[in-house]
Amino acid sequence: MRRVPALIALFLLLAGLVGPAALAQEPASPPQPQGPASTGVAPEGTPASQAAPEAVWPGPDGFGYIGQTVPFSYVDIHTTGTLISGLTDDSFAGPFPIGFTFNFYGVGKTQFYVSSNGHIEFDSGSSSLYAYCPYPNASNPVNHIALMFDDLYPNYSTGGVYRQTFASCPYPGYASQQCLVVQYYNWNHYGGGTAGDFEVILTSDGDIIFQYNDG
């Protein structure tokens, strides 16, 4: 099986990030607390910064996020996670609990939505079929993460979309953190063809890991 390297990310506000690009947080100066001291992030719904991202791989963007390639270590949850049922063509499901407060550009997120078209959102669901490029682009959903943003099609006969929150993240180097894994397992392209097996991992320190199990 050929395995594509994993990618670690925090992505562009109001646009998102299409794999395989990814970003990790590296502020130029220590961030100022915007919320409860226990999390260091502002509560859900707090307005985000208006700074322009304008990132070119690997960054940094206007928020201080950079991208880097990290080792591939796929976290397969299709036998242990919760199946997200009810996804139809061009649809979304949720909200679902993240399981912890996820720091997204200084704003605490506690829930997410899943689209059948390979992306997740924090504030509201979206069934958008295609990503508008280049990023950032106001035509894309707000506050989203694009794993494989394309016209995909549900495959519940041999696959599905699964979610699972871990108290100790199984991805190497993150055992001291919580994490959420969302896995598209044997998902299809619209009109035929397998989109494959791919996932996103959100960590409690605010990182995002994209992995593509391309066999």
Side-chain angles (χ1 to χ4, degrees):
M1 175 180 292
R2 181 172 63 88
R3 291 185 169 182
V4 176
L7 298 161
I8 191 166
L10 273 184
F11 64 103
L12 307 181
L13 188 64
L14 301 180
L17 194 76
V18 173
L23 301 172
Q25 189 174 17
E26 187 176 85
S29 58
Q32 297 299 313
Q34 300 183 51
S38 60
T39 63
V41 298
E44 182 79 18
T46 300
S49 169
Q50 297 302 307
E54 297 180 354
V56 175
W57 176 265
D61 67 5
F63 296 92
Y65 295 114
I66 62 171
Q68 66 185 78
T69 300
V70 297
F72 181 91
S73 184
Y74 205 72
V75 181
D76 189 350
I77 62 168
H78 85 274
T79 60
T80 61
T82 300
L83 175 67
I84 298 175
S85 60
L87 286 173
T88 59
D89 186 30
D90 302 333
S91 69
F92 65 86
F96 304 106
I98 294 175
F100 52 90
T101 299
F102 179 69
N103 184 347
F104 184 70
Y105 284 91
V107 179
K109 304 297 183 181
T110 58
Q111 61 185 23
F112 68 102
Y113 298 80
V114 174
S115 170
S116 62
N117 288 321
H119 50 93
I120 69 174
E121 278 72 42
F122 293 115
D123 298 333
S124 60
S126 171
S127 57
S128 295
L129 283 75
Y130 302 109
Y132 290 88
C133 293
Y135 276 88
N137 193 304
S139 295
N140 288 318
V142 173
N143 292 337
H144 82 144
I145 298 174
L147 293 78
M148 187 179 292
F149 200 164
D150 199 4
D151 192 2
L152 305 181
Y153 195 80
N155 175 20
Y156 283 114
S157 60
T158 60
V161 182
Y162 298 85
R163 62 183 177 90
Q164 186 170 354
T165 298
F166 293 88
S168 177
C169 188
Y171 186 82
Y174 286 85
S176 64
Q177 300 179 36
Q178 297 171 280
C179 71
L180 166 71
V181 179
V182 179
Q183 177 185 3
Y184 289 74
Y185 177 70
N186 285 346
W187 215 235
N188 286 345
H189 288 287
Y190 182 80
T194 301
D197 188 358
F198 50 97
E199 70 183 10
V200 62
I201 304 174
L202 310 185
T203 74
S204 55
D205 76 344
D207 286 343
I208 301 173
I209 303 167
F210 290 167
Q211 299 198 96
Y212 302 86
N213 195 20
D214 186 8

